[in-house]
């Protein structure tokens, strides 16, 4: 593995999101955002994406670790994964990140729903083969999932890196859908005063760290772990 410092992150583009047929909402179009900053915000807030690809003639949707640098999304996988090999073979893939912000209770069951932020990216991923670019991508992914760990834990050996595949996906064709509102009302429910309606917020929290059984008692969790917040 290269010991060089990862390259400086690229600047995000201010170009609006695309409006291709497959990235254009067909339902609840008023919830779409064409602001690229909203795309970045959703990706930066999430921790896990799902990668959809056709592998072995069948569609699969795989939970995957990721990180964003500018308008590039990096995906982490194993060289032994057939799904990863399929995603890196030049076929179209779809990556989704969804953040659940609330459960919406309405006066009618038909109007129950969620408050959420969702980003969907279409495209063809490329496999990173150069040491510098791959190291940079791994740094980005590491700092997204476990901030501070890149400069604290041992970095991968050459043998470990041989089992890792890193994919890059441009954020060129993407859509964002957002809902943050009260429950809707139907005309027949407006005058009801015996049924509650509202929202239960949903948020991510981090519990205090728990040391692994093999860690000596005098080795405490470092500040980048103990002070982490969502």
């Amino acid at each position: 593995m290269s010991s060089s410092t990862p390259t400086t992150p690229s600047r995000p583009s201010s170009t609006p999101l695309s409006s291709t047929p497959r990235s254009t909402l067909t339902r609840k179009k008023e919830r779409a955002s064409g602001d690229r900053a909203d795309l970045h915000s959703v990706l930066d807030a999430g921790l896990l994406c799902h990668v959809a690809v056709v592998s072995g003639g069948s569609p699969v949707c795989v939970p995957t670790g990721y990180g964003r640098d500018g308008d590039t999304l990096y995906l982490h996988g194993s060289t032994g994964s057939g799904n990863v090999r399929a995603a890196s073979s030049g076929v179209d893939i779809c990556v989704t990140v969804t953040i659940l912000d609330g459960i919406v209770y309405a006066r009618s069951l038909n109007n129950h729903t969620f408050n959420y932020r969702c980003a969907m990216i279409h495209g063809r991923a490329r496999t990173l083969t150069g040491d510098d670019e791959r190291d940079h991508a791994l740094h980005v992914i590491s700092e997204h999932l476990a901030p501070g760990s890149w400069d604290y834990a041992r970095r991968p050996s050459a043998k470990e890196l041989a089992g890792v595949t890193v994919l890059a996906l441009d954020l060129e064709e993407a859509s964002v859908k957002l809902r943050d509102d009260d429950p809707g009302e139907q005309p027949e429910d407006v005058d009801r005063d015996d049924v509650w309606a509202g929202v239960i917020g949903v948020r991510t929290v981090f519990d205090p760290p728990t040391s692994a059984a093999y860690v000596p008692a005098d080795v405490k969790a470092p500040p980048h772990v103990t002070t982490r917040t969502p």
Side-chain angles (χ1 to χ4, degrees):
M1 174 179 178
S2 171
S3 60
S4 60
T5 301
T7 57
T8 302
S10 60
R11 293 181 179 272
S13 167
S14 59
T15 305
L17 297 181
S18 65
S19 56
T20 64
R22 64 182 178 181
S23 64
T24 300
L25 269 61
T26 59
R27 184 175 180 276
K28 301 289 185 180
K29 294 184 178 181
E30 71 279 4
R31 296 180 185 171
S33 172
D35 190 341
R36 185 165 293 272
D38 283 336
L39 172 65
H40 295 164
S41 177
V42 174
L43 296 177
D44 294 347
L47 290 174
L48 189 71
C49 71
H50 285 83
V51 179
V53 63
V54 175
S55 178
S58 179
V60 293
C61 188
V62 185
T64 303
Y66 72 92
R68 179 186 71 87
D69 174 18
D71 280 310
T72 301
L73 194 69
Y74 294 118
L75 307 170
H76 180 278
S78 167
T79 56
S81 169
N83 299 326
V84 172
R85 289 196 297 271
S88 63
S89 66
V91 301
D92 286 342
I93 66 172
C94 179
V95 177
T96 303
V97 173
T98 302
I99 302 167
L100 179 63
D101 293 317
I103 310 297
V104 179
Y105 292 76
R107 286 174 169 167
S108 66
L109 286 173
N110 191 56
N111 279 79
H112 279 53
T113 186
F114 305 103
N115 282 339
Y116 60 87
R117 291 163 284 162
C118 181
M120 183 176 292
I121 304 100
H122 299 275
R124 296 184 177 185
R126 59 186 177 88
T127 304
L128 303 186
T129 55
D131 288 345
D132 288 344
E133 189 177 19
R134 183 187 58 188
D135 286 0
H136 172 67
L138 290 173
H139 174 260
V140 170
I141 295 169
S142 172
E143 290 303 291
H144 178 67
L145 298 175
S149 294
W150 185 261
D151 291 324
Y152 179 79
R154 178 181 65 81
R155 297 183 187 176
S157 65
K159 181 179 180 180
E160 290 168 333
L161 285 173
V164 173
T165 295
V166 184
L167 305 179
L169 180 65
D170 292 336
L171 300 180
E172 180 179 350
E173 185 180 2
S175 62
V176 177
K177 192 174 183 180
L178 312 165
R179 189 190 194 280
D180 181 17
D181 206 351
D182 284 339
E185 281 272 78
Q186 297 300 323
E188 56 266 42
D189 299 314
V190 171
D191 294 330
R192 296 196 64 174
D193 58 7
D194 60 338
V195 178
W196 180 85
V199 178
I200 294 180
V202 177
R203 58 192 177 93
T204 298
V205 297
F206 292 141
D207 289 334
T210 301
S211 297
Y214 53 78
V215 173
D218 61 343
V219 178
K220 304 302 181 183
H224 70 269
V225 174
T226 59
T227 61
R228 184 172 184 183
T229 58

